[in-house]
Amino acid sequence: MSEDLKKTASNGHVKMLIPEEQQGKINEVKKLIGPLSGKALVYCSDASISRYLRARSWNVKKAAKMLKQTLKWRAEYKPEEIRWEDVAEEAETGKIYRSNYTDKHGRTVLVMRPARQNSKTTKGQIKYLVYYMENAILNLSPEQEQMVWLVDFQGFNMSHISIKVTRETAHVLQEHYPERLGLAILYNPPKIFEPFFTMVKPILDTKTYNKVKFCYSDDQNTKKIMENLFDLDHLESAFDGNENTPFDINKYAERMKEDDKKIPSFWTREISPSSVANDVPSLDSIKLDTDSDASDNEKIVRSSDSVTNTGLMDPDQNSVNHEDRNVSAAVH
């Protein structure tokens, strides 16, 4: 294998491995984890282990430790047992919901509206977030493993956000759902939000931080980005799309209840053989782990070069390094 595929974090890149080496690392993690059964066995598919390895720069011991912590958390928290009735009160305002469309790469889209926050309890908000992460994963297509967050800041003020909840959210997502976020678009965030986001930077790992991008409706680059990522006929008008149907909690509740019925079979399914996952030009795969903070939060609306380099301007771009693809396309 060429030397450029063996670059490590010391020079600003995550180590890249050919598929055979990836599988070898996955097998090593399996040995460290030991025998599994039931839901833990279903969870620890090759694709899942691959995500933990990528999150830890293919360090087997660190990935195994991280995965063990997740298995312990899942055994205690039981996220797969949360149902709509458990979070319905949190959902009433439509502050977080799974859209009925995907982006052009087939990624599940979660819409978030922090101004519609209706709860003060950290426990309730985190439970609600976990439910939606599980639901988003449940609805991923077989060839896709990441999701997109669309955050609408209309009506937002600082009373709608909590450092404590933000810290706990970052912990749960980064430690127990690694490599699930493909891109988070913060749409029309007010000036007062930017200092807050800078303040929370230390609790975000570099890869997560680099996936968060600011977009503004009055910027032409933003419009091009949204056009290339989404079908505008399905995208909500809040993000400059053409869909004006308001959020209906009653219809949405029925949709979630139907999803809940799929959960038991999801956790008793057989794991399909490993296969190469869909090659999406996501920020995660283009802009790998870096030690430099110089352009961590560079606004995509201010730099056409950064947009081009992340592949956002061309949804058909295939410039992602093919050596760092997923080993398996299984959902978990």
Side-chain angles (χ1 to χ4, degrees):
M1 180 172 59
S2 62
E3 288 301 314
D4 62 333
L5 291 180
K6 294 185 178 181
K7 294 179 180 178
T8 64
S10 63
N11 63 2
H13 295 277
V14 169
K15 184 182 294 184
M16 310 224 185
L17 306 174
I18 61 174
E20 291 79 3
E21 290 177 315
Q22 291 184 29
Q23 189 63 56
K25 296 279 187 179
I26 290 170
N27 292 339
E28 288 182 54
V29 171
K30 288 180 178 179
K31 290 180 181 178
L32 291 177
I33 295 295
L36 298 171
S37 61
K39 294 175 182 177
L41 178 61
V42 174
Y43 185 81
C44 291
S45 66
D46 285 5
S48 184
I49 295 173
S50 176
R51 284 190 293 275
Y52 282 81
L53 280 163
R54 298 203 310 273
R56 291 296 179 262
S57 302
W58 294 97
N59 183 301
V60 170
K61 290 184 178 180
K62 289 182 179 180
K65 180 181 179 181
M66 184 185 186
L67 181 52
K68 286 179 180 179
Q69 291 172 339
T70 293
L71 291 175
K72 183 176 184 293
W73 173 76
R74 294 190 71 91
E76 296 172 351
Y77 198 86
K78 301 185 185 304
E80 76 283 354
E81 294 185 9
I82 303 173
R83 297 295 184 268
W84 173 255
E85 289 77 9
D86 302 321
V87 297
E89 187 174 342
E90 291 277 348
E92 287 178 352
T93 60
K95 62 183 179 183
I96 304 177
Y97 60 89
R98 180 175 60 81
S99 68
N100 57 7
Y101 58 88
T102 64
D103 77 347
K104 290 184 177 180
H105 304 298
R107 294 180 289 194
T108 297
V109 177
L110 289 183
V111 176
M112 303 181 178
R113 293 192 161 94
R116 297 187 183 183
Q117 182 57 258
N118 62 337
S119 171
K120 297 294 184 181
T121 67
T122 301
K123 183 178 179 181
Q125 291 180 44
I126 295 302
K127 188 174 187 178
Y128 184 54
L129 175 70
V130 169
Y131 174 78
Y132 273 104
M133 290 300 295
E134 295 288 312
N135 180 268
I137 292 168
L138 179 72
N139 285 280
L140 283 170
S141 59
E143 70 277 2
Q144 188 52 263
E145 61 174 8
Q146 292 188 323
M147 61 193 72
V148 175
W149 290 3
L150 284 178
V151 187
D152 175 17
F153 278 87
Q154 183 177 8
F156 172 86
N157 62 58
M158 291 307 293
S159 69
H160 297 130
I161 203 162
S162 160
I163 285 286
K164 182 179 180 181
V165 174
T166 300
R167 184 182 293 111
E168 183 63 18
T169 296
H171 171 75
V172 170
L173 294 177
Q174 292 177 162
E175 297 302 317
H176 304 311
Y177 295 95
E179 299 299 311
R180 284 301 191 183
L181 179 64
L183 175 66
I185 294 179
L186 308 186
Y187 208 78
N188 288 330
K191 291 287 185 181
I192 60 172
F193 179 77
E194 294 183 22
F196 170 81
F197 191 69
T198 300
M199 184 170 59
V200 301
K201 179 182 177 181
I203 68 178
L204 300 177
D205 64 41
T206 304
K207 292 180 75 174
T208 300
Y209 191 85
N210 286 334
K211 294 173 185 177
V212 179
K213 299 300 172 181
F214 288 69
C215 279
Y216 299 90
S217 58
D218 59 355
D219 189 280
Q220 288 301 313
N221 283 334
T222 292
K223 294 181 184 299
K224 292 177 182 178
I225 290 166
M226 302 306 280
E227 288 174 357
N228 282 288
L229 277 175
F230 303 100
D231 182 338
L232 296 187
D233 286 336
H234 296 151
L235 186 67
E236 292 101 318
S237 57
F239 304 105
D240 283 343
N242 301 323
E243 177 54 60
N244 294 305
T245 304
F247 177 78
D248 186 322
I249 185 60
N250 295 319
K251 291 181 179 179
Y252 192 72
E254 292 305 312
R255 182 177 159 206
M256 292 299 101
K257 290 175 184 177
E258 288 301 311
D259 275 358
D260 285 353
K261 295 176 183 178
K262 306 173 187 176
I263 296 175
S265 61
F266 183 86
W267 288 102
T268 55
R269 74 197 189 283
E270 293 184 6
I271 300 299
S272 59
S274 297
S275 59
V276 177
N278 190 30
D279 191 10
V280 176
S282 65
L283 294 177
D284 175 40
S285 51
I286 295 291
K287 192 174 185 179
L288 297 171
D289 229 356
T290 175
D291 294 329
S292 173
D293 294 334
S295 61
D296 275 348
N297 193 33
E298 187 175 10
K299 297 178 184 178
I300 49 179
V301 299
R302 306 294 184 228
S303 172
S304 59
D305 289 339
S306 65
V307 170
T308 302
N309 291 337
T310 57
L312 289 175
M313 295 296 287
D314 181 6
D316 296 321
Q317 184 185 42
N318 289 313
S319 60
V320 182
N321 192 300
H322 291 266
E323 305 298 340
D324 195 32
R325 290 178 176 176
N326 307 328
V327 175
S328 171
V331 175
H332 267 97

